[in-house]
Amino acid sequence: LAKTTQPISMDSYEGQEVNITCSHNNIATNDYITWYQQFPSQGPRFIIQGYKTKVTNEVASLFIPADRKSSTLSLPRVSLSDTAVYYCLVGDRLGGTASKLTFGTGTRLQVTL
Amino acid sequence: DVKVTQSSRYLVKRTGEKVFLECVQDMDHENMFWYRQDPGLGLRLIYFSYDVKMKEKGDIPEGYSVSREKKERFSLILESASTNQTSMYLCATQGPGTNEKLFFGSGTQLSVL
């Protein structure tokens, strides 16, 4: 089972870069790493996904080392609106057409002025 | 955009009642998931389905069952609700391919008294 481990919480000031690391020691060869953001009273929403090295989109960057046993979500210049819970997700393939997608406990990011 | 609709935003039931939570998606996605979310525990997978009438157990299936008679609808059933099933329930869908991102509904906050 590709279990993930993240810090429970992080604090940041507005304008800083925030890096959240996720450990997934048992990641399988075909698994992708996906990050989600969740605001209170809403379902999680997709931020970024990667397989190896570095991926960047308009919201964040994702860094994945060669051994793929961890990944780091990087949020550049956070604002108050980035205060949310961030989840790292790794697929757990069962050999069928769907993966058993297991979330970790998430990282609660608090951004202040 | 993908629309994932959960039938109720808030639901209050009594211990022992049979409870149905409905989830409907409009994107013809094969894979659908039910999670529950509790403070400090993140999202935990209850059941998922990769096709009509097909289902797989997640990490915490005890006390729950599911039904997928049509592709667009995935129902979570609590046969005899108990107070420890008070939780936020989130439905998600996933498009073709096992690495496609998840789309979540807004959730149903269920209280069992």
Side-chain angles (χ1 to χ4, degrees), chain A residues 56-77:
Chain A
T56 298
N57 63 20
E58 64 278 5
V59 176
S61 294
L62 179 59
F63 299 91
I64 305 169
D67 66 7
R68 302 199 333 120
K69 294 189 176 186
S70 66
S71 58
T72 299
L73 174 72
S74 181
L75 304 172
R77 295 181 299 281

Side-chain angles (χ1 to χ4, degrees), chain B residues 21-66:
Chain B
L21 301 183
E22 305 286 345
C23 177
V24 178
Q25 51 110 348
D26 67 353
M27 282 301 291
D28 203 37
H29 284 175
E30 285 80 10
N31 302 336
M32 297 187 75
F33 303 78
W34 275 107
Y35 292 88
R36 65 175 282 177
Q37 184 170 33
D38 301 286
L41 297 177
L43 284 87
R44 292 182 291 168
L45 180 63
I46 305 171
Y47 267 98
F48 67 100
S49 168
Y50 53 90
D51 202 351
V52 174
K53 297 190 186 296
M54 306 304 288
K55 61 185 179 184
E56 291 277 355
K57 292 181 180 179
D59 297 314
I60 51 164
E62 297 78 19
Y64 302 94
S65 62
V66 290

Side-chain angles (χ1 to χ4, degrees), chain A residues 35-39 42-48 59 81-82 85 87, chain B residues 101-104:
Chain A
W35 284 80
Y36 292 83
Q37 175 190 55
Q38 185 180 26
F39 297 113
Q42 295 184 23
R45 66 172 187 172
F46 173 90
I47 301 176
I48 197 166
V59 176
S81 62
D82 292 317
V85 179
Y87 290 96
Chain B
K101 59 187 177 182
L102 293 170
F103 295 89
F104 282 85

